[in-house]
Amino acid sequence: MRLRALLDTDALGLRLLGGDDELDRSVRGVMTTDLRDPSRYLTGGELVLTGLAWRRDAADSEPFVRILAGAGVAGLAAGEAELGDIPDDLVEACRRHRLPLFAVNETVAFATITEHVVRQVSGERAGDLAAVVDRHRRLMTSGPAGGGPEVVLDLLGSDLDLQAWVLSPTGRQIAGAGAPLSGPAGAELAGLHLAAVRTGRRSPYRAAIGGVAYSLFPIRNTGRGAGPASRDVRESVLSDWLLAVEADASDWPAARLDLLQGVTQLIAVERDRRDAARTVRRRLAQEVLELVQAGAPPAEIAARLRVAAPVLLPGLGSAPHWQVVVARVDWDEQGAPGSAGSGVAGGPVAQALLEEILVDPAVTGPDSADRIAVAHSGDEAVALVPLPAVAPPDAGGTAGVDSAAGADASDPDSPEHSGEDPALHADVLLAAVRAPLAAGLADDGRLTLGVSASVHSPEGLRGALEEARHARRVAAARPGRVCAAGHHELASHVLLLPFVPDDVRRAFTARLLDPLRDYDRRHRAELIPTLESFLDCDGSWTRCAARLHLHVNTLRYRIGRIEQLTGRDLSRLEDKLDFFLALRMS
């Protein structure tokens, strides 16, 4: 029951003295006390009744109220029989701690209030599950929820006082009732969920963030109409949604756990319906990809793009630019806990994951990927990302839209009018999702991703595809579970370094840097940091000395020692380049 319901019952003789903005708190029990410190008997959610016998002077109110607020009680009801009017110091202490305060008329016995609260709370606990289960069954029998997942989450909030959110595997909020989760909290919950799934733990999974307990339920359709069950958890772990409930379900009765499992089934039906709606976009992307890979004439590719553009960018008047993003998920051969041990097809996994990655993490809702077309070929996924054509600055401003976020080109605050670059960038694409994805990949998976430059014609798509694939190979040569590289790195020494064989890399760096490392270790010198700064300052003595807070003569002594130990001359471009590459490869 809610606190405000107490004011609607005249027989209880309650008068509100403060906390009218907190009356939606739930009352889970009632307790009568005149102890100065009743904390050992409080579990949270109680309506505390007191006759104020604990109060000797005004200084006693603050610690008493602080104890109640810290224990999470729902409200305080003070009797007027002992002192008459409720003391102002108690009213002020309750105001400071945002604790609702009621005055109990001296003609009303505490037993009357206790009996009323116990009767109401017990009745609600007995009936809440039956009511929700009945509504749940009606929704299930009537087909997909017309209002989307929010309908089910509203039921959980109104009938069970449970705040819940549907999250994507990267932690992006798909749906929620009440206050939204913060982006970092969603990502952390998603990472904990993925880690629990990968270790084979039984759901629901318990998690705690900032002292708040959550229970995490996988969302999978195992009912009528569901597809075949995955024989390897890795086939679905990076695409499944999850239900995060702000509660600890470890002590829930079986009936309530069954109810939440039924709720996940209902949301899974909605998820399947949304996935089916992506079929057209996936087919368009697959057709364009096959044409590009087969070397089809640009006119034929352009015809396919004219079909795709209205679907991906409805209402866009001009022909868009396009970017190509290539992703690949690789798994080790040993399998996963509970799997059959055979290999996992990487293409479909990468396709579902790339569809999620390309959505702006700040955008909520299940339909926010409507303008992203992703195909898969072999073990890789290929995304065709449309961007409005960028007009020259003297042609009325730049045009641009964050395709991942699906921004409206007519919006004056959109990138088109703000001059922002609408293109995707590899260095920021994975920033918000790296942690949860690394948890899902665990110790046997890797995600690598490459991003092309934008192209404005069908003739450029084949080159963009090869560029994105080459960038992905650069990312694959780097350490880490989740790596990305962009087209701009293909015109730099960065492109060459990852492909240097390990034995050549070790020999080259050892020949140049080991004498300096040995000297630094023996003499506690700083020749390596000095060399790095000297090269970063393009060989400028004054700038390097200022950066290191050294006298120029001291810097000249250190550089001379480096040249003496290595037999190189740092005034020569070739030797500077060798040192630069050795530092980058080390």
Side-chain angles (χ1 to χ4, degrees), residues 406-480:
D408 184 357
S410 64
D411 182 357
D413 295 325
S414 70
E416 175 180 357
H417 295 272
S418 66
E420 296 176 11
D421 182 5
L424 299 173
H425 296 274
D427 53 349
V428 298
L429 198 56
L430 297 178
V433 300
R434 189 181 303 275
L437 292 184
L441 293 163
D443 294 328
D444 60 345
R446 284 199 78 204
L447 167 67
T448 52
L449 185 145
V451 181
S452 78
S454 61
V455 296
H456 65 278
S457 67
E459 291 89 341
L461 278 178
R462 181 159 189 166
L465 177 60
E466 290 305 316
E467 191 173 55
R469 282 174 169 163
H470 207 153
R472 192 207 63 79
R473 288 192 288 271
V474 170
R478 295 171 175 167

Side-chain angles (χ1 to χ4, degrees), residues 233-290:
V233 68
R234 297 176 297 178
E235 293 179 356
S236 60
V237 66
L238 295 177
S239 58
D240 284 343
W241 289 354
L242 68 135
L243 177 67
V245 181
E246 190 178 317
D248 186 352
S250 59
D251 59 351
W252 281 6
R256 180 168 289 206
L257 286 173
D258 288 345
L259 172 67
L260 266 293
Q261 296 293 351
V263 168
T264 65
Q265 290 280 308
L266 179 58
I267 298 174
V269 172
E270 182 72 6
R271 166 68 190 271
D272 291 345
R273 186 180 71 84
R274 308 286 176 138
D275 281 349
R278 290 184 174 182
T279 303
V280 173
R281 296 191 301 278
R282 285 179 170 180
R283 185 184 304 123
L284 287 171
Q286 196 72 42
E287 291 175 355
V288 174
L289 175 62
E290 290 173 358

Side-chain angles (χ1 to χ4, degrees), residues 211-235:
V212 179
Y214 297 88
S215 295
L216 310 177
F217 296 80
I219 295 177
R220 302 190 188 102
N221 187 5
T222 58
R224 181 180 301 178
S230 172
R231 60 194 180 95
D232 191 320
V233 68
R234 297 176 297 178
E235 293 179 356

Side-chain angles (χ1 to χ4, degrees), residues 36 54-65 89-90 93:
R36 297 168 67 85
W54 49 266
R55 182 183 180 277
R56 296 184 178 87
D57 55 44
D60 292 335
S61 294
E62 169 65 22
F64 180 80
V65 173
D89 49 89
L90 180 60

Side-chain angles (χ1 to χ4, degrees), residues 59 323 397:
Q323 269 185 289

Side-chain angles (χ1 to χ4, degrees), residues 193 195-206 215-218 220 250 254 257-258 261:
H193 171 262
V197 172
R198 289 304 314 275
T199 55
R201 287 167 48 196
R202 185 176 180 179
S203 65
Y205 314 117
R206 189 183 185 280
S215 295
L216 310 177
F217 296 80
R220 302 190 188 102
S250 59
L257 286 173
D258 288 345
Q261 296 293 351

